[in-house]
Amino acid sequence: MEEWVGFKWHEYITRHAMGEFPEHAIQLKDEARTLGVLFRALGGDPALSLVVAEPRHFRTRRRFLQKLAGTHKKFELAWRDEQSLRLPDRLALFPSKHLNRDLYLWLAALAAQGECTEEDWLTGNQAMVQTLLGRWPGLEPVYQRLVRNSLQWRPDPTTLPDAESRREKAIRQALIHPGSVDTLPEADSDPWPVIIWLYPTMTPGKLTAQVIGDDNMSSKPGGLEKKRKRRRAERVDAFDKDQGLMLFRLESLFSWSEFIPVDRAGDDTEEEDADAVADDMDMISVSSDRRESSSAIKFDLDLPSEENDDLHLGPGIHLPEWDWRSQGYREKFCCLQPMLSKDSVPSPLPDHLSRSAMRLRRQFSALKPLRQWERRQIEGEELDLDACMEREVQHRRGIGEIDQKLFRRCKQNQRDLACLILADISMSTDTYINNNQRVIDITRDGLQLLSEALQASRDPFALFAFSSRRRDHIRFHHIKAFDEPYNDVSRGRIQALEPGYYTRMGAAIRQATRLLQGRHEHQKILLLLTDGKPNDLDLYEGRYGVEDTRMAVQEAHKAGLTPFCVTIDDDASEYLPYVFGSNNFVVIKDPVQLPLQLPKLYMNLPR
């Protein structure tokens, strides 16, 4: 009973202290597509993702009810950096859904003008507001409505001490008349947040290299990336396991934190609620102490010894890499190593694929080149009897000009097309999608069935696979070249593929582009099979990896190739439209169907 009364009391106090209108709340996930389109239409960087903003701490002057409820210490505010645009997860500040939606639209439009820093937060926001209203005067009524309602949400200057009152008046004047305030008067506490302005980029705490989550970038127009929070972090020597979760002190009743020993080196932890606890924590403490997980096995991804590794084909190929920060190439930055499986043995087609392969061979055999006779040629393999008889008739009738095209020749009607299939075999393909099948198993089956189909159509094709471990070791596995027959040797190499390492996708695409450029066919298709985003250990993650891959795809287009991506990644629609284009990729929702879907996709690609 006491617990129920306490819960209801807390619910009542919090609801009145928040000062929000939950019945008029607008969720970011519902407006994500519209906001993404608006942001890019007004000139925003198309590579930025739309992500939920993390709460910021403010040391503001709070009313008694807010102190009692423990609210208004953290605020979700809009900001952007070089990788993402971050907006509040939910808006319920105004007593109208229309106004709350307008606030989302305004923040997205303002963010399209740029970002602000700690030094120019006041003047920068005013300048961006002036620029936005100057370019798009139709937003003026929206801005005025938001200013009027946000001023009602702010504290009354007459109730504040002198210094804070002068500062609040300056902020109000900057909102009503943008560009009229150059400096902000100083005060002891933080100013009440300005909800219609952008804020500087949030920086991690002491441990800047440890960013919890948020390492993936979304580039889908209007897409909303999954909610990942960044938190301040600190490094500690070790956790004292003998100390309880909370020391009972009177001053700790309203503020306390706890240590949860989450094992970073393993995937599992004994704390079932570790995710929920971490979601509520503002400071993540990281320790190198391994006493709590001494029984766990820590795997290392170091490369195997040379005698246990696959065969290296040559010294390696140096390739450039695109650095989007400097907007230039790093010449000879990557080393791609062609490799050949040492453990592969010639193998027939697996029994479980025989029936599907037989059906595909029948379908694709209709695409085989057909022999056709071309009549009435000046030169040819044999005489065209009809043309000869017509000439004789013309000669006897005394017609002056006689047709000299008296031969016929046989021409093979070929499909002028070549395809290079590039498969991602990084460590993520070792994931099980059902009880007994891994992603790599499905990839192997897909390569085998597609190869059987292409063999029947007689289209020239090549097979390669790739993985990577940093820029100096990109593994490019040779399965079948264009000039090699597809036989049991190639089938054995496919079956010998094993997952490992990471996905430096840009270098693999560049090498595949070079191989395809050597073909004489009119249409050249680069078909990429993958299960996730480009990533590697040395900064090749997030926007860097996506931008390099996108540049490699653009290079392939300029070379006259047709790059196409087939993936089973559920989140692919967030970044693949930016990398490959909206019509040059497909997401297979059911990974088990990949082997059967690949030949169908290939048949439609030339169209």
Side-chain angles (χ1 to χ4, degrees), residues 230-260:
R230 294 197 305 182
R231 302 175 178 83
R232 295 178 57 206
E234 64 176 357
R235 190 178 294 280
V236 297
D237 295 333
F239 299 118
D240 186 0
K241 62 182 180 180
D242 295 327
Q243 182 138 353
L245 291 179
M246 180 180 71
L247 291 176
F248 182 77
R249 297 177 181 172
L250 189 60
E251 62 268 25
S252 301
L253 286 177
F254 292 100
S255 175
W256 60 280
S257 61
E258 55 187 337
F259 285 101
I260 300 296

Side-chain angles (χ1 to χ4, degrees), residues 337-388:
Q337 179 60 63
M339 308 190 76
L340 188 64
S341 176
K342 184 173 63 175
D343 298 329
S344 66
V345 294
S347 305
L349 187 70
D351 293 338
H352 68 281
L353 299 177
S354 298
R355 180 173 298 180
S356 299
M358 187 180 301
R359 183 173 63 253
L360 289 172
R361 290 192 201 101
R362 286 198 301 267
Q363 294 175 355
F364 277 73
S365 61
L367 304 177
K368 284 192 304 185
L370 299 177
R371 294 172 61 87
Q372 286 184 330
W373 287 98
E374 293 184 338
R375 300 176 61 247
R376 299 184 180 276
Q377 303 296 316
I378 296 178
E379 296 178 350
E381 302 170 4
E382 56 187 54
L383 290 172
D384 186 345
L385 295 180
D386 292 338
C388 292

Side-chain angles (χ1 to χ4, degrees), residues 56-62 66 72-75 77 118 121 153-155 160-161 163-165 167-168 171 184-194 199:
R56 292 171 180 257
H57 278 273
F58 279 81
R59 192 168 49 87
T60 59
R61 183 176 297 277
R62 297 182 295 161
Q66 294 167 349
H72 293 79
K73 293 188 295 183
K74 295 188 295 183
F75 298 85
L77 301 170
E118 196 76 39
W121 173 74
W153 180 74
R154 301 188 62 80
L160 300 175
E164 296 181 18
S165 177
R167 183 181 62 190
E168 179 61 27
I171 293 177
L184 198 63
E186 296 183 357
D188 294 335
S189 62
D190 295 331
W192 199 259
V194 183
Y199 274 74

Side-chain angles (χ1 to χ4, degrees), residues 280-291:
D280 294 331
M281 296 174 69
D282 301 315
M283 176 76 73
I284 300 294
S285 300
V286 181
S287 169
S288 58
D289 178 32
R290 305 288 298 151
R291 290 178 299 172

Side-chain angles (χ1 to χ4, degrees), residues 423-484:
D424 169 16
I425 57 169
S426 59
M427 182 60 73
S428 59
T429 60
D430 197 33
T431 306
Y432 280 86
I433 58 173
N434 51 38
N435 294 332
N436 58 356
Q437 204 167 22
R438 299 176 300 168
V439 174
I440 188 64
D441 301 328
I442 295 173
T443 302
R444 292 197 201 103
D445 291 350
L447 292 177
Q448 303 242 39
L449 289 182
L450 181 57
S451 299
E452 296 292 331
L454 296 182
Q455 180 76 358
S457 69
R458 296 187 184 177
D459 288 342
F461 69 99
L463 296 172
F464 294 91
F466 74 98
S467 60
S468 66
R469 189 180 187 273
R470 297 190 174 92
R471 64 184 179 90
D472 56 350
H473 190 86
I474 302 168
R475 303 163 70 87
F476 198 74
H477 293 265
H478 177 102
I479 302 173
K480 177 194 174 300
F482 283 107
D483 56 356
E484 293 179 349

